[in-house]
Amino acid sequence: MGAFLVGLQCLLCLSSALSVMAEITDNLPPSINQTHLTPVRLQRRGEGLKVEGSTFKLDGFPFLIIAGTVHYFRMPREYWRDRLMKLKACGFNTVTTHVPWNLHEPSRGHFVFTGNLDLGGFIFSASDVGLWVILCPGPYIGSDLDLGGLPSWLLQDSKMKLRTTYKGFTKAVNRYFDQLIPRIVPFQYHEKGSIIAVQVENEYGSYYLDKKYMSFVKKALVTRGIKVLLMTADDGKDVVNGHLKNVLATLHMKNINKDSYRKLSSIQGLSPIMVMLYTAPSFDTWGVSRRTLDPHVLMENARDMFKLRFSLNFYMFHGGTNFGFMGGATTLNGYHPMVTSYDYGALLTEDGEYTPEFLIYQEFFSNVLDLPTPVNLEYMPKAVYNPVKPTHYLSLWDLVPYLDTPVKSTKPISMEKLSVNQGSGQSFGYTLYETSITTSGGLLSSNDHVQDRGQVFLDKMYVGVLDHSTKQLTLPKIQDSKDAHTLRILVENQGRLAYGPNINKERKGLTGDIYLNNSPLRRFAIFCLDMKMKFIERDLPNQWKPISSSVSGPAFFLGYLKIEEPPKDTFIKLEGWNKGIVFINGQNLGRYWKIGPQETLYLPGPWLHQGRNEIIVFEELHPGLNIQFTNQSHLGY
């Protein structure tokens, strides 16, 4: 309910603020029916998207931007065209997408622009469908990603100051932009491409730790060949801090009030108004009720914005999924990691289906923009496959001898600073810390150095969890003749903060000393369990054991899904399971957790094939009896 009230307050502030525009703006742009709105290509005169007074012009014609955000990295590549065609069918003329640095440069100097990360392929698909593109290349993009899309290896530098002109940061940005920007340049409007605007960073006004930083990012873009219209985007109270000279300032819906527009007018005079983040509810977090927002309130504000000829970007038009470990976290009223689904209450569901709100917006756009009557919508059939009963398992403790040689350290080391992945550290997943203790009993204290969730084991016996709320555990006294016992702490990075000044502190694993009876523990063996596809496909040893009786985690459980017909989308339901990750044919679908609100994991059809499909579940605690499938998502209430 709290999230609903916050969202409602934002919308009401926006609604009350709209009325002030007539006072601020002397010359409103032409009426909607005189404005070039559709993405149909004109005979180009090379002018691109320009600002003239209070109007956007494209090729010299008045143009109203009606954009929706779609993230290419949050859905299978095979569905790019489908989602973009639905964006256009709803009445939008532009797609906005963000570029996640951490996914494109997963380790220092190693760049990936293929497969699901083929940015050029996505932009080409948008152009082929007939959509203009607004690109947000960062380097920081927010987007509710782990560390806001910044690579975690930046934090190996203990002095790192993210999103500033700190030399360690700017050097990394320049190397990344040397790879990224040349891939973008050919798709710009003046090169007969579909990119009409590029956003400089994201909401820097709320961060604002370095007055020179935004100028650095602008120069980094322009000197590498970005020539289209540049924009900044900030919420209402921060628009002045985030503004750059000769760059169009746009607004995010948050904290908009009458004063926001007066500030906007004071820094750039007469200009078109664009609400760059016109938003659905927000992302969901584990253990919290699903966030919802009244779509009728959202629609009323859209109507008001159209009356005043505002341009807008709907975030998200299609949210998609936080496959793997890409989701971030928030610290609003405590640390809250986000769920696997990024459905976001968007106009398309997580699996790309139409929502009732889609139909409402489609009808609205069709009427006010005088678009052709929408065609009948077709829904993609979903499959309900037979339940899969896992047949074999591999205990984490049986796996340890086959893992890469552990990092040996006197003190604990955070996952980012481990000497793994060619010196780039560990970004995601789990890290296992082992040390020997001479007494089996006593008080184990984290001193808040467990980030984010550490399962504690004495030898192989589960003791409990240390996390953001539980800082101490009592180790049981074991009556045996052993001189020493192995203390193990399996720490999960549940998602780094996606925004805020504290991102500079977001190191994971054990970030400092752990104490037993007030004495710091020493001499650790540290194992990296980042759960990459290579690990699942090739590095898991062939030491699987048949499941003959009750088995507890942490362990991997193996089963096979047999499909006779061409595969379809489906959803995995893990009733009776507790917490872990699901892999299908090596693909990490993301986390599940019985605390909810999310109850199902989206499984895209393109990641399945006819015949036998391998399912591996890493369960931390106690497994269920089988893996079920359903044709409907259950994301909570």
Side-chain angles (χ1 to χ4, degrees), residues 11 22 45 57 118 144 146 200 215 235 291 334-335 341 347 364 391 433-434 451 472 484 586-587 604:
L11 288 169
R45 297 187 290 180
K57 286 194 174 180
D118 183 0
D144 305 319
D146 182 283
V200 183
S215 295
D235 69 31
R291 299 178 179 182
Y335 173 83
S341 171
L347 299 188
F364 170 69
T391 57
Y433 297 81
E434 289 189 352
Q451 305 292 325
Q472 293 182 336
Q587 293 273 5

Side-chain angles (χ1 to χ4, degrees), residues 189-363:
Y189 184 91
H190 65 279
E191 298 285 350
K192 298 184 179 180
S194 53
I195 298 177
I196 57 174
V198 167
Q199 182 179 301
V200 183
E201 241 264 355
N202 186 59
E203 287 192 316
Y204 194 72
S206 63
Y207 194 74
Y208 202 58
L209 297 185
D210 187 336
K211 294 180 180 180
K212 298 178 181 179
Y213 172 68
M214 287 292 281
S215 295
F216 157 73
V217 177
K218 177 185 175 182
K219 183 178 179 181
L221 294 169
V222 172
T223 57
R224 289 172 174 81
I226 297 299
K227 296 180 180 179
V228 294
L229 181 71
L230 296 179
M231 299 176 169
T232 59
D234 290 282
D235 69 31
K237 66 181 178 63
D238 299 315
V239 65
V240 174
N241 285 345
H243 173 59
L244 269 173
K245 186 177 180 180
N246 298 323
V247 173
L248 181 73
T250 70
L251 293 171
H252 283 186
M253 192 175 72
K254 184 180 178 183
N255 293 317
I256 287 181
N257 53 38
K258 293 181 180 181
D259 188 53
S260 304
Y261 296 109
R262 292 193 174 94
K263 287 179 180 178
L264 192 63
S265 179
S266 70
I267 60 177
Q268 65 186 22
L270 189 64
S271 68
I273 304 297
M274 180 164 184
V275 179
M276 190 61 184
L277 196 148
Y278 171 56
T279 185
S282 187
F283 60 86
D284 293 326
T285 57
W286 292 113
V288 179
S289 298
R290 192 177 183 206
R291 299 178 179 182
T292 59
L293 193 64
D294 187 347
H296 298 292
V297 177
L298 209 60
M299 186 74 253
E300 283 304 308
N301 281 279
R303 295 180 192 278
D304 290 341
M305 283 190 283
F306 266 80
K307 289 176 184 177
L308 289 166
R309 275 79 77 193
F310 281 21
S311 289
L312 62 86
N313 177 62
F314 197 100
Y315 187 100
M316 298 283 298
F317 171 77
H318 170 57
T321 309
N322 291 309
F323 293 115
F325 303 113
M326 71 172 69
T330 177
T331 53
L332 183 64
N333 299 319
Y335 173 83
H336 295 288
M338 65 187 302
V339 302
T340 298
S341 171
Y342 200 63
D343 181 88
Y344 211 90
L347 299 188
L348 289 184
T349 63
E350 179 182 10
D351 53 312
E353 292 294 5
Y354 306 101
T355 63
E357 291 75 29
F358 176 99
L359 302 177
I360 292 171
Y361 276 83
Q362 185 185 55
E363 181 181 7

